Amino acid sequence: MKVLLRILMYVFVVIIIVGGAGVVGFIHTSNAGMSLYNQSNPPSLDQVKIPAYDANKPTVAVLLSNEVTEVFDFLVPYEMFALTGKYNVFSVAPDSGIKSLTGGLDVIPHYSFADMDQVLGKSPDIIVIPFMPIRDEKKYAPVREWIRKHSSEKTILLSICNGAENLADTGLLNGKSAATHWGDIQRLIKSYPEIHWVNDQRYVPQGNIVSSAGLTSGMDATLYVISEQLGETAAKQVANKLHYPSYHYVIDPTMEPFTAGLSDITYILNQSYQWNKAKAGVLLYPGADELDLSAAFDTYGASGTTTTLTISREPRPIVTKHGLNLVARYQMNDVPSLSKMIVVGSRAETTAAEDIKQWRQLNNNTELLLLHKNMQGRFAMDPAFENLSVQEDVMTAKFAAKRLEYRATDHLKLEGVPFSRESFGIPVILVLLSLLAGYVLDRRLFVKKQRLLREFASK
């Protein structure tokens, strides 16, 4: 019995120290990725540019939550519909305040829900539903209500990745089939048993509802909607402009399901035990491409290894290539210490020449990473995966691709150490410290007590 108690004591100490440190680290990292814009509004907020509305074009509303919205789910479908030139494409939110995307990118919506309703006088033709975690019911409720309000068969509801959970939350998926991210499907099966969750298709069309699996699968779903409305030629043109390598899934969405595996532990360890996280700036400059920006935020920022900070030259809204209004949390003259500054875009040296020049003048000692330099003709995510493998390790880069449900990985050149020495090493050190602490407690609680009992018995 005493032996069992001593073993349990050691186990308890290990769980408390190793598990407790991991939980604290995981929560801290997760909260950092979900951080909301909490600064004073820039003085030029009233100068937001809104794309012109053409009553002869169908309208796409890409949703933003009052809290946080998944960055890829929002940016990439927005750009894809805009690339066709055949749609009005607007960012729409419960109100006109600044909204945050995962990784710390902040957007000023084009319209509030009420303003969008007034402009259109009807429902949008397409509503894109990114993943919007439901953390505060009161703040989230307007999103649910607006989706339900515009859920007639005349409107296509397109959920991206775990935006399927937001769609399921409305009740509109009950009795239907749907796809979602492989990492969330088991949880959603339990939470929404009325829905037939599909794990072997990149997207699932059900009448006026189209749901996609994880992240890049949303590109297939978006291209499917475009091909259905504008024809396959238009969809292929968009895919070619983005150098998207997996168009065959648009024709046949069947895929081999991803499942959780032992190698995925690198993500949990990065989130929990990589305490010395890199701090990378991401330059926001006029004309930046939305997919290129997503490559920075949803690769580095979502890996659990890097904190991404948005930086601009001036405190004013930055208009992207297709008309989104972004707000940086820092300007070049007040930026914290960084490990690197990431500049996206294959033409960034020309498009962002003045911004890059000023950055070099103010912060010449910080590494400047032109992420897409000499990468013309490649999908925007590819160089990010490759650089992440060098910055961190190959396992982290491979999981980043898997998290994005990115399939075209055979041509990636992932060079770096096999795994993170910090993420794997810190738990080992903590286990050893736990055993040492357990030994000290063992000596005090058990060994000393036994010695005292023997001395008492000898008297």
Side-chain angles (χ1 to χ4, degrees):
M1 186 66 179
K2 291 180 180 179
V3 173
L4 178 61
L5 287 174
R6 294 171 74 180
I7 293 174
L8 289 175
M9 184 268 296
Y10 275 95
V11 171
F12 179 76
V13 171
V14 170
I15 291 174
I16 290 296
I17 294 178
V18 181
V23 168
V24 171
F26 192 93
I27 292 173
H28 176 76
T29 302
S30 299
N31 288 340
M34 295 283 186
S35 65
L36 301 178
Y37 189 88
N38 61 358
Q39 303 176 35
S40 59
N41 290 340
S44 53
L45 189 60
D46 57 346
Q47 301 174 12
V48 171
K49 295 181 180 179
I50 300 176
Y53 170 64
D54 185 342
N56 295 316
K57 292 180 180 180
T59 296
V60 179
V62 188
L63 300 190
L64 288 161
S65 174
N66 268 332
E67 293 188 279
V68 69
T69 303
E70 215 294 325
V71 61
F72 186 100
D73 297 358
F74 172 80
L75 288 180
V76 181
Y78 176 93
E79 176 176 9
M80 294 175 75
F81 282 113
L83 275 172
T84 67
K86 302 296 184 181
Y87 297 96
N88 302 301
V89 188
F90 301 117
S91 56
V92 187
D95 57 57
S96 58
I98 295 173
K99 307 304 177 189
S100 297
L101 306 178
T102 53
L105 181 61
D106 303 298
V107 183
I108 306 170
H110 294 132
Y111 291 107
S112 68
F113 288 158
D115 289 341
M116 183 86 271
D117 289 343
Q118 185 174 4
V119 168
L120 295 181
K122 60 176 184 176
S123 294
D125 297 274
I126 300 171
I127 296 177
V128 179
I129 305 171
F131 176 43
M132 297 167 280
I134 304 173
R135 308 171 81 186
D136 184 317
E137 169 60 27
K138 186 176 180 180
K139 290 182 179 179
Y140 178 76
V143 175
R144 179 191 300 113
E145 293 166 6
W146 200 75
I147 294 172
R148 285 175 175 166
K149 177 181 177 181
H150 297 290
S151 61
S152 74
E153 293 183 357
K154 294 181 180 180
T155 297
I156 292 175
L157 302 177
L158 171 59
S159 71
I160 308 296
C161 188
N162 210 33
E165 181 173 9
N166 301 96
L167 195 50
D169 173 67
T170 65
L172 298 171
L173 276 177
N174 289 351
K176 295 182 171 66
S177 297
T180 190
H181 191 279
W182 61 268
D184 292 284
I185 194 166
Q186 293 303 320
R187 177 176 62 83
L188 295 186
I189 287 173
K190 295 177 181 178
S191 299
Y192 301 96
E194 314 85 356
I195 300 167
H196 174 58
W197 294 100
V198 177
N199 69 349
D200 61 353
Q201 289 184 223
R202 298 273 286 184
Y203 64 87
V204 176
Q206 295 274 278
N208 68 314
I209 295 177
V210 180
S211 57
S212 83
L215 295 111
T216 58
S217 300
M219 299 184 71
D220 303 318
T222 303
L223 290 169
Y224 167 78
V225 172
I226 292 172
S227 68
E228 288 289 295
Q229 294 201 336
L230 305 180
E232 189 171 354
T233 299
K236 283 186 174 179
Q237 286 176 346
V238 172
N240 290 338
K241 287 177 182 177
L242 298 177
H243 309 293
Y244 180 56
S246 300
Y247 188 85
H248 59 279
Y249 284 121
V250 180
I251 300 170
D252 179 8
T254 305
M255 66 174 180
E256 186 69 26
F258 274 128
T259 56
L262 185 60
S263 62
D264 300 342
I265 196 172
T266 186
Y267 174 72
I268 297 173
L269 294 178
N270 283 344
Q271 294 279 105
S272 304
Y273 299 106
Q274 185 155 151
W275 298 339
N276 185 31
K277 296 187 188 299
K279 190 174 289 185
V282 180
L283 180 65
L284 303 185
Y285 62 90
D289 181 90
E290 293 85 1
L291 174 60
D292 291 346
L293 285 169
S294 183
F297 290 100
D298 231 335
T299 303
Y300 298 93
S303 67
T305 66
T306 309
T307 300
T308 44
L309 307 176
T310 52
I311 299 165
S312 65
R313 185 155 50 113
E314 299 174 359
R316 60 181 176 83
I318 305 297
V319 182
T320 66
K321 188 175 183 179
H322 298 99
L324 284 174
N325 294 275
L326 308 180
V327 178
R329 297 190 184 184
Y330 297 92
Q331 274 65 61
M332 291 183 183
N333 59 356
D334 68 352
V335 67
S337 177
L338 301 174
S339 58
K340 68 174 70 173
M341 168 66 100
I342 301 172
V343 185
V344 303
S346 59
R347 295 186 177 89
E349 286 182 292
T350 301
T351 310
E354 286 301 315
D355 300 81
I356 292 172
K357 179 181 177 181
Q358 183 164 333
W359 171 259
R360 283 178 166 150
Q361 290 173 347
L362 294 173
N363 301 275
N364 194 39
N365 294 327
T366 303
E367 176 192 353
L368 183 69
L369 173 62
L370 297 170
L371 184 61
H372 298 104
K373 184 177 181 178
N374 300 323
M375 296 292 177
Q376 292 88 343
R378 297 192 69 187
F379 184 56
M381 293 287 173
D382 292 352
F385 294 138
E386 292 174 353
N387 183 263
L388 183 65
S389 73
V390 173
Q391 175 189 302
E392 299 298 331
D393 58 272
V394 173
M395 283 184 70
T396 293
K398 284 184 175 179
F399 183 81
K402 181 177 178 180
R403 192 190 74 85
L404 284 158
E405 290 212 15
Y406 186 54
R407 301 279 176 162
T409 57
D410 292 343
H411 62 288
L412 294 178
K413 299 176 182 178
L414 301 180
E415 301 172 351
V417 297
F419 58 89
S420 170
R421 295 186 179 93
E422 180 180 357
S423 298
F424 282 80
I426 286 179
V428 172
I429 292 172
L430 289 175
V431 168
L432 295 176
L433 290 174
S434 301
L435 294 175
L436 178 61
Y439 175 77
V440 172
L441 287 173
D442 187 21
R443 300 291 297 179
R444 288 181 174 274
L445 297 178
F446 292 99
V447 177
K448 185 177 180 180
K449 182 178 179 180
Q450 289 176 357
R451 185 172 63 249
L452 291 173
L453 288 174
R454 284 196 299 268
E455 292 176 355
F456 180 78
S458 66
K459 293 179 181 180

